[in-house]
Amino acid sequence: MAKIDILGVKINTQSKEEILEKVSKIAADNQKHYIVTPNPEFIVLAQKNKEFAAILNKAALAIPDGIGLVWASRLLYGKRGCKERVAGVDLMTDICRIAPKNDWSVFLLGAKDGIAQKCALNLKEKYGLNVLGTHSGWADSSGDKENRKIIKEKIGQKSCHFIFVAYGAGKQEQWIRRNLEKIPVRVAVGVGGSFDFLSGRVKRAPRLFRDLGLEWLWRLSKEPWRWKRQISLLKFVFLVINKKLKNRP
Ligand code: UDP
């Protein structure tokens, strides 16, 4: 599936429907895959951290979770840019929605205590999702062994198709890189704050905000401590414009 390069990070440009088709393919091919959900913060982080950039670039799918990426893709590539924003939480919801008819099972890892369980309850109720287990666990490598032990125990002899990992930008992708090969799961997806939304702990921006590309502003108003992190949005805009000017004929 075609990707474009945004400041050294390869991003898929397809629509959500096309992405979902690809997800179905990789879930069926009996190999290990992972999916990343970059936003501008990821791209800024990847400028300094080449290992992180490499992890992002080896993903089967890298969907544009932030509207900033859609904007940058269109500025740099015109019509070849991203067709639409594909938020990680929307992709996760869609995978869970179509999971029962595909006979997929899932595991939820990460977020604060109780949040993954609540998220699982909501998804079971809404879609009849087969959740093999949940675990908040530890994002850093010192917790890997214990996390894997618990995940394996909970999955047992069953076949687990997806693990959604909610440890935030950087940490979740590193976790997937260190652990995916060692757990009985086919596809790992880094989903950031998705469990917080799907559990009902944090309210998602109203549709109007999302349609206007202002979800980041809504999140900032609900969680003002994010302002420091959202400075990377300004840095991202600067880097993209700089790139555009440099590439001008
Ligand atoms: N999180 C976690 N352990 C950590 C860091 C983060 O479980 O060491 C969880 C956090 O509780 C949240 C999720 O990771 O549910 C995503 O965090 P954040 O909101 O920062 O991610 P974003 O959506 O902004 O990428």
Side-chain angles (χ1 to χ4, degrees), residues 39 41-42 110-112 139 166-169 171 192-193 196 219 225-226 229:
N39 59 27
E41 189 184 352
F42 282 61
K112 296 203 177 88
Y167 284 141
K171 286 185 182 173
D196 296 322
R219 271 192 106 177
W225 53 267
R226 283 185 180 274
R229 283 177 48 183

Side-chain angles (χ1 to χ4, degrees), residues 37 39 41-42 65 109-113 115 135-140 165-173 191-197 201-202 219 223 225-226 229-230:
T37 55
N39 59 27
E41 189 184 352
F42 282 61
D65 172 83
L109 177 73
K112 296 203 177 88
D113 276 343
I115 299 298
H135 178 48
S136 54
W138 304 267
D140 59 276
V165 185
Y167 284 141
K171 286 185 182 173
Q172 61 203 18
E173 291 74 24
V191 291
S194 299
F195 298 180
D196 296 322
F197 294 128
R201 191 185 80 79
V202 176
R219 271 192 106 177
E223 299 169 301
W225 53 267
R226 283 185 180 274
R229 283 177 48 183
Q230 291 196 347

